[in-house]
PDB file of all heavy atoms in Angstrom:
ATOM      1  N   HIS N   1      -2.484   4.878  -3.763  1.00 98.00           N
ATOM      2  CA  HIS N   1      -1.778   4.323  -2.606  1.00 98.00           C
ATOM      3  C   HIS N   1      -0.432   5.007  -2.418  1.00 98.00           C
ATOM      4  O   HIS N   1      -0.079   5.422  -1.306  1.00 98.00           O
ATOM      5  CB  HIS N   1      -1.568   2.819  -2.779  1.00 98.00           C
ATOM      6  CG  HIS N   1      -0.638   2.228  -1.761  1.00 98.00           C
ATOM      7  ND1 HIS N   1      -1.043   1.885  -0.488  1.00 98.00           N
ATOM      8  CD2 HIS N   1       0.708   1.969  -1.812  1.00 98.00           C
ATOM      9  CE1 HIS N   1      -0.008   1.425   0.206  1.00 98.00           C
ATOM     10  NE2 HIS N   1       1.071   1.467  -0.587  1.00 98.00           N
ATOM     11  N   ILE N   2       0.339   5.133  -3.493  1.00 98.00           N
ATOM     12  CA  ILE N   2       1.659   5.760  -3.394  1.00 98.00           C
ATOM     13  C   ILE N   2       1.530   7.199  -2.913  1.00 98.00           C
ATOM     14  O   ILE N   2       2.270   7.648  -2.023  1.00 98.00           O
ATOM     15  CB  ILE N   2       2.368   5.703  -4.766  1.00 98.00           C
ATOM     16  CG1 ILE N   2       2.778   4.267  -5.095  1.00 98.00           C
ATOM     17  CG2 ILE N   2       3.590   6.618  -4.786  1.00 98.00           C
ATOM     18  CD1 ILE N   2       3.273   4.078  -6.515  1.00 98.00           C
ATOM     19  N   THR N   3       0.578   7.932  -3.474  1.00 98.00           N
ATOM     20  CA  THR N   3       0.390   9.336  -3.105  1.00 98.00           C
ATOM     21  C   THR N   3      -0.079   9.464  -1.663  1.00 98.00           C
ATOM     22  O   THR N   3       0.423  10.307  -0.906  1.00 98.00           O
ATOM     23  CB  THR N   3      -0.621   9.997  -4.055  1.00 98.00           C
ATOM     24  OG1 THR N   3      -0.215   9.794  -5.416  1.00 98.00           O
ATOM     25  CG2 THR N   3      -0.720  11.488  -3.782  1.00 98.00           C
ATOM     26  N   ALA N   4      -1.033   8.627  -1.272  1.00 98.00           N
ATOM     27  CA  ALA N   4      -1.566   8.696   0.092  1.00 98.00           C
ATOM     28  C   ALA N   4      -0.497   8.345   1.111  1.00 98.00           C
ATOM     29  O   ALA N   4      -0.385   9.008   2.166  1.00 98.00           O
ATOM     30  CB  ALA N   4      -2.764   7.752   0.227  1.00 98.00           C
ATOM     31  N   TYR N   5       0.291   7.307   0.837  1.00 98.00           N
ATOM     32  CA  TYR N   5       1.364   6.955   1.767  1.00 98.00           C
ATOM     33  C   TYR N   5       2.374   8.096   1.875  1.00 98.00           C
ATOM     34  O   TYR N   5       2.812   8.468   2.972  1.00 98.00           O
ATOM     35  CB  TYR N   5       2.072   5.678   1.323  1.00 98.00           C
ATOM     36  CG  TYR N   5       3.357   5.455   2.086  1.00 98.00           C
ATOM     37  CD1 TYR N   5       3.339   5.096   3.434  1.00 98.00           C
ATOM     38  CD2 TYR N   5       4.597   5.668   1.481  1.00 98.00           C
ATOM     39  CE1 TYR N   5       4.516   4.939   4.150  1.00 98.00           C
ATOM     40  CE2 TYR N   5       5.773   5.510   2.184  1.00 98.00           C
ATOM     41  CZ  TYR N   5       5.733   5.150   3.518  1.00 98.00           C
ATOM     42  OH  TYR N   5       6.897   5.016   4.230  1.00 98.00           O
ATOM     43  N   SER N   6       2.760   8.655   0.732  1.00 98.00           N
ATOM     44  CA  SER N   6       3.719   9.747   0.729  1.00 98.00           C
ATOM     45  C   SER N   6       3.203  10.936   1.520  1.00 98.00           C
ATOM     46  O   SER N   6       3.934  11.549   2.317  1.00 98.00           O
ATOM     47  CB  SER N   6       4.009  10.171  -0.719  1.00 98.00           C
ATOM     48  OG  SER N   6       4.931  11.229  -0.763  1.00 98.00           O
ATOM     49  N   MET N   7       1.944  11.269   1.327  1.00 98.00           N
ATOM     50  CA  MET N   7       1.346  12.393   2.057  1.00 98.00           C
ATOM     51  C   MET N   7       1.307  12.112   3.555  1.00 98.00           C
ATOM     52  O   MET N   7       1.635  12.987   4.374  1.00 98.00           O
ATOM     53  CB  MET N   7      -0.063  12.657   1.533  1.00 98.00           C
ATOM     54  CG  MET N   7      -0.117  13.301   0.167  1.00 98.00           C
ATOM     55  SD  MET N   7      -1.838  13.572  -0.357  1.00 98.00           S
ATOM     56  CE  MET N   7      -1.609  14.577  -1.820  1.00 98.00           C
ATOM     57  N   GLU N   8       0.909  10.908   3.944  1.00 98.00           N
ATOM     58  CA  GLU N   8       0.863  10.599   5.379  1.00 98.00           C
ATOM     59  C   GLU N   8       2.266  10.587   5.975  1.00 98.00           C
ATOM     60  O   GLU N   8       2.476  11.100   7.088  1.00 98.00           O
ATOM     61  CB  GLU N   8       0.193   9.251   5.624  1.00 98.00           C
ATOM     62  CG  GLU N   8       0.199   8.892   7.120  1.00 98.00           C
ATOM     63  CD  GLU N   8      -0.638   7.694   7.470  1.00 98.00           C
ATOM     64  OE1 GLU N   8      -1.874   7.833   7.489  1.00 98.00           O
ATOM     65  OE2 GLU N   8      -0.047   6.624   7.750  1.00 98.00           O
ATOM     66  N   ARG N   9       3.218  10.024   5.266  1.00 98.00           N
ATOM     67  CA  ARG N   9       4.589   9.966   5.759  1.00 98.00           C
ATOM     68  C   ARG N   9       5.119  11.349   6.095  1.00 98.00           C
ATOM     69  O   ARG N   9       5.927  11.514   7.027  1.00 98.00           O
ATOM     70  CB  ARG N   9       5.469   9.291   4.692  1.00 98.00           C
ATOM     71  CG  ARG N   9       6.944   9.196   5.035  1.00 98.00           C
ATOM     72  CD  ARG N   9       7.720   8.401   3.992  1.00 98.00           C
ATOM     73  NE  ARG N   9       7.741   9.011   2.683  1.00 98.00           N
ATOM     74  CZ  ARG N   9       8.561   9.998   2.315  1.00 98.00           C
ATOM     75  NH1 ARG N   9       9.421  10.496   3.192  1.00 98.00           N
ATOM     76  NH2 ARG N   9       8.524  10.493   1.085  1.00 98.00           N
ATOM     77  N   GLN N  10       4.652  12.365   5.380  1.00 98.00           N
ATOM     78  CA  GLN N  10       5.152  13.729   5.560  1.00 98.00           C
ATOM     79  C   GLN N  10       4.163  14.651   6.282  1.00 98.00           C
ATOM     80  O   GLN N  10       4.339  15.866   6.309  1.00 98.00           O
ATOM     81  CB  GLN N  10       5.525  14.307   4.189  1.00 98.00           C
ATOM     82  CG  GLN N  10       6.665  13.522   3.534  1.00 98.00           C
ATOM     83  CD  GLN N  10       6.886  13.893   2.091  1.00 98.00           C
ATOM     84  OE1 GLN N  10       7.638  14.818   1.792  1.00 98.00           O
ATOM     85  NE2 GLN N  10       6.249  13.180   1.179  1.00 98.00           N
ATOM     86  N   GLY N  11       3.114  14.052   6.876  1.00 98.00           N
ATOM     87  CA  GLY N  11       2.215  14.819   7.718  1.00 98.00           C
ATOM     88  C   GLY N  11       1.178  15.644   6.993  1.00 98.00           C
ATOM     89  O   GLY N  11       0.562  16.531   7.601  1.00 98.00           O
ATOM     90  N   VAL N  12       0.930  15.361   5.717  1.00 98.00           N
ATOM     91  CA  VAL N  12      -0.064  16.124   4.968  1.00 98.00           C
ATOM     92  C   VAL N  12      -1.475  15.653   5.283  1.00 98.00           C
ATOM     93  O   VAL N  12      -2.411  16.461   5.396  1.00 98.00           O
ATOM     94  CB  VAL N  12       0.206  16.007   3.448  1.00 98.00           C
ATOM     95  CG1 VAL N  12      -0.837  16.766   2.635  1.00 98.00           C
ATOM     96  CG2 VAL N  12       1.606  16.512   3.115  1.00 98.00           C
ATOM     97  N   ILE N  13      -1.654  14.343   5.414  1.00 98.00           N
ATOM     98  CA  ILE N  13      -2.966  13.755   5.693  1.00 98.00           C
ATOM     99  C   ILE N  13      -2.788  12.588   6.669  1.00 98.00           C
ATOM    100  O   ILE N  13      -1.665  12.148   6.939  1.00 98.00           O
ATOM    101  CB  ILE N  13      -3.648  13.208   4.418  1.00 98.00           C
ATOM    102  CG1 ILE N  13      -2.828  12.030   3.830  1.00 98.00           C
ATOM    103  CG2 ILE N  13      -3.850  14.311   3.393  1.00 98.00           C
ATOM    104  CD1 ILE N  13      -3.548  11.274   2.723  1.00 98.00           C
ATOM    105  N   THR N  14      -3.902  12.110   7.155  1.00 98.00           N
ATOM    106  CA  THR N  14      -3.977  10.775   7.747  1.00 98.00           C
ATOM    107  C   THR N  14      -4.702   9.905   6.731  1.00 98.00           C
ATOM    108  O   THR N  14      -5.881  10.134   6.437  1.00 98.00           O
ATOM    109  CB  THR N  14      -4.724  10.780   9.083  1.00 98.00           C
ATOM    110  OG1 THR N  14      -4.032  11.608  10.017  1.00 98.00           O
ATOM    111  CG2 THR N  14      -4.830   9.365   9.651  1.00 98.00           C
ATOM    112  N   ALA N  15      -3.993   8.963   6.162  1.00 97.00           N
ATOM    113  CA  ALA N  15      -4.559   8.168   5.074  1.00 97.00           C
ATOM    114  C   ALA N  15      -5.610   7.204   5.593  1.00 97.00           C
ATOM    115  O   ALA N  15      -5.566   6.751   6.742  1.00 97.00           O
ATOM    116  CB  ALA N  15      -3.451   7.393   4.365  1.00 97.00           C
ATOM    117  N   GLU N  16      -6.568   6.905   4.733  1.00 97.00           N
ATOM    118  CA  GLU N  16      -7.511   5.828   5.012  1.00 97.00           C
ATOM    119  C   GLU N  16      -6.862   4.512   4.601  1.00 97.00           C
ATOM    120  O   GLU N  16      -6.093   4.453   3.643  1.00 97.00           O
ATOM    121  CB  GLU N  16      -8.811   6.052   4.249  1.00 97.00           C
ATOM    122  CG  GLU N  16      -9.543   7.312   4.709  1.00 97.00           C
ATOM    123  CD  GLU N  16     -10.889   7.501   4.016  1.00 97.00           C
ATOM    124  OE1 GLU N  16     -11.095   6.882   2.941  1.00 97.00           O
ATOM    125  OE2 GLU N  16     -11.722   8.252   4.535  1.00 97.00           O
ATOM    126  N   ARG N  17      -7.173   3.438   5.318  1.00 96.00           N
ATOM    127  CA  ARG N  17      -6.560   2.141   5.085  1.00 96.00           C
ATOM    128  C   ARG N  17      -7.617   1.067   4.908  1.00 96.00           C
ATOM    129  O   ARG N  17      -8.661   1.101   5.562  1.00 96.00           O
ATOM    130  CB  ARG N  17      -5.668   1.739   6.270  1.00 96.00           C
ATOM    131  CG  ARG N  17      -4.377   2.540   6.403  1.00 96.00           C
ATOM    132  CD  ARG N  17      -3.780   2.310   7.784  1.00 96.00           C
ATOM    133  NE  ARG N  17      -2.403   2.771   7.880  1.00 96.00           N
ATOM    134  CZ  ARG N  17      -2.047   4.043   8.019  1.00 96.00           C
ATOM    135  NH1 ARG N  17      -2.984   4.989   8.042  1.00 96.00           N
ATOM    136  NH2 ARG N  17      -0.779   4.374   8.120  1.00 96.00           N
ATOM    137  N   ARG N  18      -7.303   0.125   4.036  1.00 93.00           N
ATOM    138  CA  ARG N  18      -8.110  -1.098   3.965  1.00 93.00           C
ATOM    139  C   ARG N  18      -7.158  -2.262   3.794  1.00 93.00           C
ATOM    140  O   ARG N  18      -6.179  -2.187   3.046  1.00 93.00           O
ATOM    141  CB  ARG N  18      -9.130  -1.047   2.828  1.00 93.00           C
ATOM    142  CG  ARG N  18      -8.542  -1.050   1.443  1.00 93.00           C
ATOM    143  CD  ARG N  18      -9.631  -0.970   0.384  1.00 93.00           C
ATOM    144  NE  ARG N  18      -9.082  -0.937  -0.966  1.00 93.00           N
ATOM    145  CZ  ARG N  18      -8.841  -2.014  -1.712  1.00 93.00           C
ATOM    146  NH1 ARG N  18      -9.101  -3.228  -1.212  1.00 93.00           N
ATOM    147  NH2 ARG N  18      -8.356  -1.904  -2.932  1.00 93.00           N
ATOM    148  N   LYS N  19      -7.439  -3.319   4.505  1.00 92.00           N
ATOM    149  CA  LYS N  19      -6.601  -4.505   4.394  1.00 92.00           C
ATOM    150  C   LYS N  19      -6.878  -5.214   3.080  1.00 92.00           C
ATOM    151  O   LYS N  19      -8.028  -5.354   2.658  1.00 92.00           O
ATOM    152  CB  LYS N  19      -6.865  -5.460   5.572  1.00 92.00           C
ATOM    153  CG  LYS N  19      -6.353  -4.944   6.903  1.00 92.00           C
ATOM    154  CD  LYS N  19      -4.825  -4.926   6.946  1.00 92.00           C
ATOM    155  CE  LYS N  19      -4.303  -4.555   8.320  1.00 92.00           C
ATOM    156  NZ  LYS N  19      -2.819  -4.525   8.358  1.00 92.00           N
ATOM    157  N   MET N  20      -5.809  -5.664   2.429  1.00 85.00           N
ATOM    158  CA  MET N  20      -5.944  -6.340   1.151  1.00 85.00           C
ATOM    159  C   MET N  20      -4.931  -7.469   1.076  1.00 85.00           C
ATOM    160  O   MET N  20      -3.768  -7.295   1.464  1.00 85.00           O
ATOM    161  CB  MET N  20      -5.704  -5.339   0.017  1.00 85.00           C
ATOM    162  CG  MET N  20      -5.821  -5.920  -1.385  1.00 85.00           C
ATOM    163  SD  MET N  20      -5.679  -4.619  -2.645  1.00 85.00           S
ATOM    164  CE  MET N  20      -5.753  -5.620  -4.136  1.00 85.00           C
ATOM    165  N   THR N  21      -5.373  -8.617   0.620  1.00 81.00           N
ATOM    166  CA  THR N  21      -4.468  -9.735   0.413  1.00 81.00           C
ATOM    167  C   THR N  21      -3.772  -9.542  -0.926  1.00 81.00           C
ATOM    168  O   THR N  21      -4.422  -9.472  -1.971  1.00 81.00           O
ATOM    169  CB  THR N  21      -5.214 -11.072   0.444  1.00 81.00           C
ATOM    170  OG1 THR N  21      -5.867 -11.206   1.712  1.00 81.00           O
ATOM    171  CG2 THR N  21      -4.252 -12.227   0.269  1.00 81.00           C
ATOM    172  N   VAL N  22      -2.462  -9.413  -0.879  1.00 77.00           N
ATOM    173  CA  VAL N  22      -1.672  -9.042  -2.050  1.00 77.00           C
ATOM    174  C   VAL N  22      -0.862 -10.240  -2.509  1.00 77.00           C
ATOM    175  O   VAL N  22      -0.147 -10.862  -1.714  1.00 77.00           O
ATOM    176  CB  VAL N  22      -0.733  -7.861  -1.705  1.00 77.00           C
ATOM    177  CG1 VAL N  22       0.207  -7.569  -2.865  1.00 77.00           C
ATOM    178  CG2 VAL N  22      -1.551  -6.624  -1.359  1.00 77.00           C
ATOM    179  N   GLN N  23      -0.984 -10.599  -3.812  1.00 69.00           N
ATOM    180  CA  GLN N  23      -0.132 -11.647  -4.373  1.00 69.00           C
ATOM    181  C   GLN N  23       1.228 -11.031  -4.658  1.00 69.00           C
ATOM    182  O   GLN N  23       1.357 -10.086  -5.422  1.00 69.00           O
ATOM    183  CB  GLN N  23      -0.723 -12.209  -5.661  1.00 69.00           C
ATOM    184  CG  GLN N  23       0.170 -13.285  -6.289  1.00 69.00           C
ATOM    185  CD  GLN N  23      -0.472 -13.944  -7.491  1.00 69.00           C
ATOM    186  OE1 GLN N  23      -1.648 -14.245  -7.489  1.00 69.00           O
ATOM    187  NE2 GLN N  23       0.322 -14.161  -8.528  1.00 69.00           N
ATOM    188  N   THR N  24       2.267 -11.573  -4.027  1.00 69.00           N
ATOM    189  CA  THR N  24       3.599 -10.987  -4.134  1.00 69.00           C
ATOM    190  C   THR N  24       4.552 -11.795  -4.993  1.00 69.00           C
ATOM    191  O   THR N  24       5.606 -11.299  -5.356  1.00 69.00           O
ATOM    192  CB  THR N  24       4.212 -10.826  -2.728  1.00 69.00           C
ATOM    193  OG1 THR N  24       4.207 -12.094  -2.059  1.00 69.00           O
ATOM    194  CG2 THR N  24       3.425  -9.830  -1.914  1.00 69.00           C
ATOM    195  N   ASP N  25       4.225 -13.010  -5.351  1.00 68.00           N
ATOM    196  CA  ASP N  25       4.982 -13.793  -6.330  1.00 68.00           C
ATOM    197  C   ASP N  25       4.103 -14.937  -6.793  1.00 68.00           C
ATOM    198  O   ASP N  25       3.320 -15.488  -6.017  1.00 68.00           O
ATOM    199  CB  ASP N  25       6.286 -14.346  -5.737  1.00 68.00           C
ATOM    200  CG  ASP N  25       7.482 -13.466  -6.095  1.00 68.00           C
ATOM    201  OD1 ASP N  25       7.571 -13.049  -7.259  1.00 68.00           O
ATOM    202  OD2 ASP N  25       8.304 -13.182  -5.208  1.00 68.00           O
ATOM    203  N   PRO N  26       4.221 -15.335  -8.081  1.00 61.00           N
ATOM    204  CA  PRO N  26       3.401 -16.426  -8.593  1.00 61.00           C
ATOM    205  C   PRO N  26       3.885 -17.768  -8.081  1.00 61.00           C
ATOM    206  O   PRO N  26       4.952 -17.866  -7.469  1.00 61.00           O
ATOM    207  CB  PRO N  26       3.590 -16.309 -10.110  1.00 61.00           C
ATOM    208  CG  PRO N  26       4.947 -15.726 -10.257  1.00 61.00           C
ATOM    209  CD  PRO N  26       5.123 -14.777  -9.078  1.00 61.00           C
ATOM    210  N   GLY N  27       3.109 -18.799  -8.363  1.00 50.00           N
ATOM    211  CA  GLY N  27       3.496 -20.136  -7.959  1.00 50.00           C
ATOM    212  C   GLY N  27       4.646 -20.670  -8.801  1.00 50.00           C
ATOM    213  O   GLY N  27       5.138 -20.035  -9.722  1.00 50.00           O
ATOM    214  N   GLU N  28       5.069 -21.869  -8.481  1.00 39.00           N
ATOM    215  CA  GLU N  28       6.235 -22.447  -9.127  1.00 39.00           C
ATOM    216  C   GLU N  28       5.980 -22.776 -10.595  1.00 39.00           C
ATOM    217  O   GLU N  28       6.875 -22.698 -11.419  1.00 39.00           O
ATOM    218  CB  GLU N  28       6.633 -23.722  -8.380  1.00 39.00           C
ATOM    219  CG  GLU N  28       7.892 -24.377  -8.922  1.00 39.00           C
ATOM    220  CD  GLU N  28       8.337 -25.553  -8.072  1.00 39.00           C
ATOM    221  OE1 GLU N  28       7.665 -25.847  -7.087  1.00 39.00           O
ATOM    222  OE2 GLU N  28       9.356 -26.156  -8.400  1.00 39.00           O
ATOM    223  N   ILE N  29       4.753 -23.116 -10.928  1.00 34.00           N
ATOM    224  CA  ILE N  29       4.466 -23.537 -12.299  1.00 34.00           C
ATOM    225  C   ILE N  29       3.848 -22.370 -13.054  1.00 34.00           C
ATOM    226  O   ILE N  29       2.708 -21.985 -12.833  1.00 34.00           O
ATOM    227  CB  ILE N  29       3.495 -24.734 -12.315  1.00 34.00           C
ATOM    228  CG1 ILE N  29       4.042 -25.870 -11.456  1.00 34.00           C
ATOM    229  CG2 ILE N  29       3.272 -25.188 -13.750  1.00 34.00           C
ATOM    230  CD1 ILE N  29       5.398 -26.381 -11.916  1.00 34.00           C
ATOM    231  N   GLY N  30       4.635 -21.775 -13.957  1.00 42.00           N
ATOM    232  CA  GLY N  30       4.073 -20.770 -14.856  1.00 42.00           C
ATOM    233  C   GLY N  30       3.960 -19.394 -14.261  1.00 42.00           C
ATOM    234  O   GLY N  30       3.166 -19.165 -13.359  1.00 42.00           O
TER     235      GLY N  30
END
């Protein structure tokens, strides 16, 4: 992901994308 984004950002490729539900912080307990 990091490499593909970096390459697309600089015009090297057009990256393929897939939507993904990402957990960005745990719940309050534990």
Side-chain angles (χ1 to χ4, degrees):
H1 169 81
I2 289 170
T3 307
Y5 168 71
S6 180
M7 287 180 170
E8 177 170 285
R9 178 175 64 81
Q10 297 169 88
V12 179
I13 65 170
T14 298
E16 295 184 341
R17 289 165 166 78
R18 67 181 179 90
K19 290 291 186 181
M20 180 174 177
T21 301
V22 174
Q23 179 174 318
T24 55
D25 262 316
E28 183 174 0
I29 305 300

